Every structure is written in C-alpha cells, then in structure tokens.
Amino acid sequence: MDTEKFYALNSYEKVEHLLKTSENLIPYFSTKEYQSYATFCIEACWNWLKNKEKDGEYLYNLLDDESEGLVSIQYSAKLDKDNNIWSCIIDAVAYTSRKAYEAEETRYFPEPIALVEDSIIEHFNDCLNQVGGNML
C-alpha cells in the first residue's frame, strides 16, 4: 500500500493493514520456529484489535523480552529474507502496541514505542519490497 493511502486510513484500518500484510509474510520464513512465533505474536495483536485482549505493555514485551523478544530473534536471524520479514512483523507489533497504549490513555510510553508513528509504513514497505512483497 502506498504511503498516502495508508495515511488516509483510520487507526483501526492501519493496524489491520499491517497485521494482514505481516500475516501473509509468515509462510516465507525459513524455519517453522520463526513461523510459529511470528504467528503467536500477530495473533496477540489481532486479539487486541478485535477484542481488546492483552494490552500495550503485553504487546511491547513481545518485542523487548531479552530471550524471546522479536528484536532478539531478528538479531539472530542469518538470512536477509528472514531479517526483512522480522522487520515487518516488528513494525506491525510495535504499531499495534502504540495504538493499544493510546486506547488505554497511557501518558508515557516505553521509549521505543514513543517513537512509533504513522511514518512506520515507509520502513515497513521498504522491508516488504526486500522480501518481494509486491508479489504477495
């Protein structure tokens, strides 16, 4: 999706777009373990979006946990394709976490989440194109 179309969406639609697109990337991971954990994280985001299950902090912890966080897993990825897919997943989870925190009327966000804005779509699209996302 081009940047202008993304900016025109409401918050719910933006989260939905990032989650749907990320979900479509999961089968392209090189390992079943990556696929499984990415699915778990995206499902947690869907649960927040649809049912307000979990909260911003829970979603943030999916990113930042020292041993099992998405950022740590991405750091250990050996293949560029996996790394780019993780970037998309991380962007989607971070954006969803930000929206969850906002819905909770949180005044202060963890520093990485405080930096998340709609412009995340530019990084997301760059990584998506590196994976060959235009063919999805």
Side-chain angles (χ1 to χ4, degrees):
M1 171 180 291
D2 73 36
T3 307
E4 287 183 36
K5 287 182 182 177
F6 183 80
Y7 284 121
L9 300 174
N10 67 41
S11 290
Y12 178 91
E13 294 167 329
K14 289 173 185 174
V15 171
E16 185 175 51
H17 168 71
L18 293 172
L19 295 178
K20 280 183 182 178
T21 306
S22 295
E23 213 167 36
N24 289 335
L25 292 172
I26 291 172
Y28 296 97
F29 271 123
S30 65
T31 70
K32 294 288 182 195
E33 292 82 13
Y34 285 175
Q35 292 173 3
S36 177
Y37 194 62
T39 298
F40 172 80
C41 293
I42 294 299
E43 285 178 359
C45 291
W46 279 117
N47 285 335
W48 174 80
L49 187 64
K50 293 178 179 179
N51 306 315
K52 300 304 181 253
E53 289 179 22
K54 309 300 181 194
D55 59 13
E57 184 175 0
Y58 177 86
L59 298 174
Y60 171 68
N61 286 330
L62 292 174
L63 297 166
D64 197 41
D65 183 87
E66 284 186 33
S67 61
E68 295 181 349
L70 293 174
V71 175
S72 296
I73 293 169
Q74 179 192 30
Y75 184 74
S76 69
K78 305 282 188 258
L79 300 176
D80 286 343
K81 180 179 76 171
D82 287 338
N83 198 323
N84 284 305
I85 295 170
W86 280 126
S87 287
C88 290
I89 302 288
I90 288 167
D91 287 349
V93 173
Y95 192 83
T96 306
S97 175
R98 171 68 187 236
K99 295 305 168 186
Y101 275 118
E102 289 175 3
E104 299 158 18
E105 298 182 3
T106 301
R107 293 180 55 182
Y108 302 103
F109 309 108
E111 186 175 341
I113 300 302
L115 301 173
V116 173
E117 298 177 340
D118 285 357
S119 61
I120 202 167
I121 191 64
E122 295 165 24
H123 180 258
F124 185 89
N125 283 340
D126 287 345
C127 295
L128 181 63
N129 289 332
Q130 292 296 316
V131 176
N134 291 333
M135 299 185 300
L136 297 176

